[in-house]
Amino acid sequence: MNFEKISDIIKNKGLKITPQRLAVLKAVIDLGNHPTADNIIEIIKKSQPNIAIGTVYKILETYVENGIVKKVKTDNDIMRYDAILDKHHHLYCLESDRIEDYYDDELNDILEKYFKKKNINDFTIKDIKLQIIGNFIN
Amino acid sequence: MNFEKISDIIKNKGLKITPQRLAVLKAVIDLGNHPTADNIIEIIKKSQPNIAIGTVYKILETYVENGIVKKVKTDNDIMRYDAILDKHHHLYCLESDRIEDYYDDELNDILEKYFKKKNINDFTIKDIKLQIIGNFIN
DNA sequence: CTCACTGCAAAGGTTTTGCAGTGGG
DNA sequence: CCCACTGCAAAACCTTTGCAGTGAG
């Protein structure tokens, strides 16, 4: 994704634009497949060798607070990040640490209809995420 | 839960029974609400002040491998554990770190039917977990 | 008896923090 | 210009590991 679009995303949230912030968001979007903080840093170091690890974590935290990216947690306890571009769920592989996106509007409709009918006591639903766990067939 | 039942759960998996193992599983079950390793250790220290933190982690890992407890992924920092007593999903509170269980067979049926029909390419589903995210109304 | 389990302590890796200096608006 | 952001390094944090000693089967 180009820097102009990325710049817009950041600006829309009223955040200051810095080269580091542009690079972090571009990395999360371009890497796509739920990168770890480490993956992101590795990519950014190519264009900005002096970026600090702490800075990347601070930027990611800012993005999470502003709803620009989401955290995705794995069983191995390493945090991964995911740019929010569309509503989707995740396929988790039991045999590797692969995580793939799963999109389906029909599924979202089914869930929405179900929860609208159920109306859980004392709980307001903001989001629903499915963790679909299994194995990829190679 | 009493130690006899807990002992049976461990024995059924062909694992050795030790006071530490009994205490860890009892703590996970009794605490109920998806305790962290730290919560578990805190409880156990009351009856077994000398138990080692490393031992608790090793025991929990053994239980996970043997399907006695599950790890619960939170989008925040810390790993939580959950005794497997029944198929269920989780309500995550955005404002606190509360996690509640959500049971509903109708939901499980709907999901099963949906995924049976969809048949995701190159992926065999072993389990599906819903993260229902929102706020508890106090 | 034997091997798996425990306790201990150190190491491992990830994420957070404090502070001085910098630069975006 | 000013305040928010960055770089740096240390530290906090949770979890894992190695090893010697112990105890369950």
Side-chain angles (χ1 to χ4, degrees):
Chain A
M1 190 178 285
N2 65 47
F3 283 109
E4 203 176 322
K5 277 190 186 174
I6 291 168
S7 192
D8 284 346
I9 296 173
I10 302 171
K11 219 181 296 177
N12 283 340
K13 296 288 179 176
L15 297 174
K16 264 188 194 172
I17 292 167
T18 68
Q20 293 83 351
R21 288 195 170 163
L22 289 171
V24 169
L25 187 49
K26 186 169 165 48
V28 176
I29 292 172
D30 289 353
L31 280 168
N33 216 40
H34 319 92
T36 61
D38 217 48
N39 298 148
I40 296 165
I41 291 162
E42 194 185 341
I43 292 291
I44 296 175
K45 287 253 176 181
K46 289 178 185 167
S47 56
Q48 310 203 27
N50 292 331
I51 197 166
I53 293 169
T55 302
V56 174
Y57 278 104
K58 282 173 196 163
I59 291 173
L60 287 169
E61 200 50 41
T62 306
Y63 285 167
V64 170
E65 283 166 12
N66 284 277
I68 296 173
V69 310
K70 273 188 191 175
K71 290 181 175 181
V72 181
K73 182 87 167 190
T74 69
D75 277 335
N76 332 327
D77 204 19
I78 296 170
M79 193 64 72
R80 288 155 170 272
Y81 297 87
D82 193 3
I84 299 173
L85 301 170
D86 209 349
K87 186 169 182 55
H88 64 273
H89 305 285
H90 290 131
L91 302 175
Y92 290 78
C93 183
L94 284 168
E95 286 164 359
S96 67
D97 56 355
R98 218 170 130 190
I99 304 176
E100 296 284 343
D101 289 337
Y102 180 75
Y103 297 88
D104 188 54
D105 285 338
E106 187 188 342
L107 175 58
N108 294 333
D109 287 346
I110 289 172
L111 291 172
E112 197 178 326
K113 204 179 293 172
Y114 166 81
F115 281 106
K116 192 174 263 176
K117 193 184 72 184
K118 275 292 172 189
N119 199 8
I120 303 174
N121 254 354
D122 308 329
F123 195 81
T124 318
I125 296 175
K126 292 266 187 274
D127 194 15
I128 294 169
K129 292 192 239 175
L130 258 74
Q131 302 179 307
I132 305 157
I133 298 149
N135 291 303
F136 289 100
I137 305 156
N138 300 314
Chain B
M1 191 178 283
N2 65 46
F3 282 110
E4 202 176 323
K5 276 191 186 171
I6 291 169
S7 192
D8 284 345
I9 296 172
I10 302 171
K11 219 180 295 177
N12 283 340
K13 297 287 178 177
L15 297 173
K16 263 189 195 174
I17 292 168
T18 67
Q20 292 84 349
R21 289 194 169 165
L22 288 171
V24 168
L25 188 48
K26 185 168 165 49
V28 176
I29 293 173
D30 289 353
L31 280 168
N33 216 40
H34 319 93
T36 61
D38 217 48
N39 298 148
I40 296 164
I41 291 160
E42 194 185 340
I43 292 291
I44 297 175
K45 287 252 175 180
K46 289 177 187 168
S47 55
Q48 309 205 27
N50 292 331
I51 195 166
I53 293 171
T55 301
V56 174
Y57 279 103
K58 282 172 196 163
I59 291 172
L60 286 168
E61 201 50 41
T62 306
Y63 285 168
V64 171
E65 284 165 11
N66 284 277
I68 296 174
V69 309
K70 272 190 191 171
K71 289 181 175 179
V72 181
K73 295 172 242 208
T74 70
D75 284 346
N76 301 319
D77 37 11
I78 305 166
M79 191 64 70
R80 288 156 171 273
Y81 297 88
D82 193 4
I84 299 173
L85 301 170
D86 210 348
K87 186 169 181 55
H88 65 274
H89 304 287
H90 290 130
L91 303 175
Y92 290 76
C93 184
L94 284 169
E95 288 164 357
S96 68
D97 56 355
R98 218 170 128 188
I99 304 176
E100 296 283 344
D101 289 337
Y102 180 74
Y103 297 88
D104 188 53
D105 285 338
E106 187 189 340
L107 175 58
N108 294 332
D109 287 347
I110 290 171
L111 290 172
E112 196 178 327
K113 204 178 293 172
Y114 166 81
F115 281 107
K116 190 173 266 177
K117 193 184 74 186
K118 275 291 172 191
N119 199 6
I120 302 174
N121 254 355
D122 307 331
F123 195 81
T124 318
I125 297 175
K126 292 266 187 272
D127 194 15
I128 294 168
K129 293 191 238 177
L130 259 75
Q131 301 178 302
I132 306 158
I133 298 149
N135 293 303
F136 289 100
I137 305 156
N138 302 314

